[in-house]
Amino acid sequence: MAAVLISGANRGIGLELTQQFHARGDRVIAVSRTAADELAGLTGVRAIAGIDVTDEAAVTKLAQQMANQALDIVIHAAGILETDDFRHLDPTAIRRQFDTNALAPLRLTHALLPNLRNGSKVVLITSRMGSIGDNSSGGMYGYRMSKAALNAAGKSLAIDLQPVGIAVGILHPGMVATRMTGFSGIDPAESARNLIARIDALTLANSGEFLHAEGYPLPW
């Protein structure tokens, strides 16, 4: 039975991951900015609302609440997507996405480092849209740039945490039917099952690889 902390656990992929880890008997700490009825109904899940992962004070508060709590898996599922194109650039929106999608997971991992140990896993839920080699349609500057930055952070984390036995997964969930995507794509339950399979298979040997949830590598 693993201790699993999931950010962005109140909806979308984060909620589905919470439900599936809970269903298989793991101890889940569900972190979110706002509360959700779905989390309240999961007996045994520790739901911690009011945590904005972009707020340094909130992250510090979470770290304090996690004092002496060993964590086997930390999953960064919180993220935002704002549509843009070159003709309608919004630097504020780009910064907002960068802060949430790239900087927040790095900050939260740093804050929770005392809770991790040899054998723990850090998982970044990224996007294929962060791939430079796979970009064939342009646009979506804020989302693409923030996810590319997240991928770079994940690779560095894999190198920096390898000496202490912590593996890092950089995982694309697929195009998932959530509010973020306008409910287009595969069922969140299928995506979560695939992600959990990748997380279970994550070791120091494949730490830092950029993988599709179905298991194949993606280009940087």
Side-chain angles (χ1 to χ4, degrees):
M1 182 171 63
V4 185
L5 183 145
I6 303 172
S7 73
N10 61 320
R11 64 182 188 182
I13 296 169
L15 176 59
E16 189 62 45
L17 286 168
T18 298
Q19 293 169 329
Q20 291 195 26
F21 273 111
H22 173 258
R24 76 177 198 176
D26 291 314
R27 291 178 288 120
V28 183
I29 301 155
V31 177
S32 61
R33 186 168 56 85
T34 57
D37 291 340
E38 293 87 346
L39 292 177
L42 296 176
T43 303
V45 169
R46 181 182 176 186
I48 303 177
I51 304 298
D52 181 344
V53 292
T54 68
D55 184 329
E56 187 171 351
V59 170
T60 299
K61 176 184 176 182
L62 176 62
Q64 292 170 343
Q65 291 179 270
M66 289 296 101
N68 302 316
Q69 167 70 65
L71 297 173
D72 299 295
I73 304 171
V74 173
I75 303 174
H76 299 281
I80 59 172
L81 181 154
E82 299 186 43
T83 303
D84 60 35
D85 59 40
F86 189 61
R87 291 187 176 184
H88 305 94
L89 283 180
D90 183 346
T92 299
I94 291 174
R95 292 189 190 97
R96 187 161 51 238
Q97 290 173 88
F98 187 91
D99 199 21
T100 301
N101 297 342
L103 183 56
L106 185 62
R107 179 192 289 122
L108 184 54
T109 300
H110 183 267
L112 294 176
L113 190 57
N115 305 92
L116 304 176
R117 56 192 177 182
N118 189 312
S120 292
K121 304 176 183 184
V122 174
V123 179
L124 308 178
I125 304 301
T126 183
S127 172
R128 191 172 195 157
M129 289 183 70
S131 167
I132 296 172
D134 191 61
N135 184 354
S136 61
S137 58
M140 303 296 291
Y141 286 88
Y143 194 70
R144 288 188 188 279
M145 291 166 66
S146 64
K147 289 298 188 178
L150 177 62
N151 292 350
K155 183 63 177 180
S156 285
L157 277 173
I159 294 169
D160 290 339
L161 297 179
Q162 191 276 338
V164 292
I166 299 170
V168 178
I170 308 169
L171 304 179
H172 166 58
M175 181 68 170
V176 186
T178 65
R179 182 164 54 184
M180 178 183 287
T181 63
F183 299 99
S184 297
I186 65 173
D187 188 88
E190 178 183 352
S191 175
R193 283 194 297 271
N194 290 336
L195 288 169
I196 290 173
R198 302 286 77 72
I199 294 168
D200 286 344
L202 177 61
T203 67
L204 291 178
N206 60 3
S207 181
E209 294 183 0
F210 180 21
L211 299 177
H212 193 287
E214 294 178 357
Y216 56 86
L218 293 170
W220 296 105

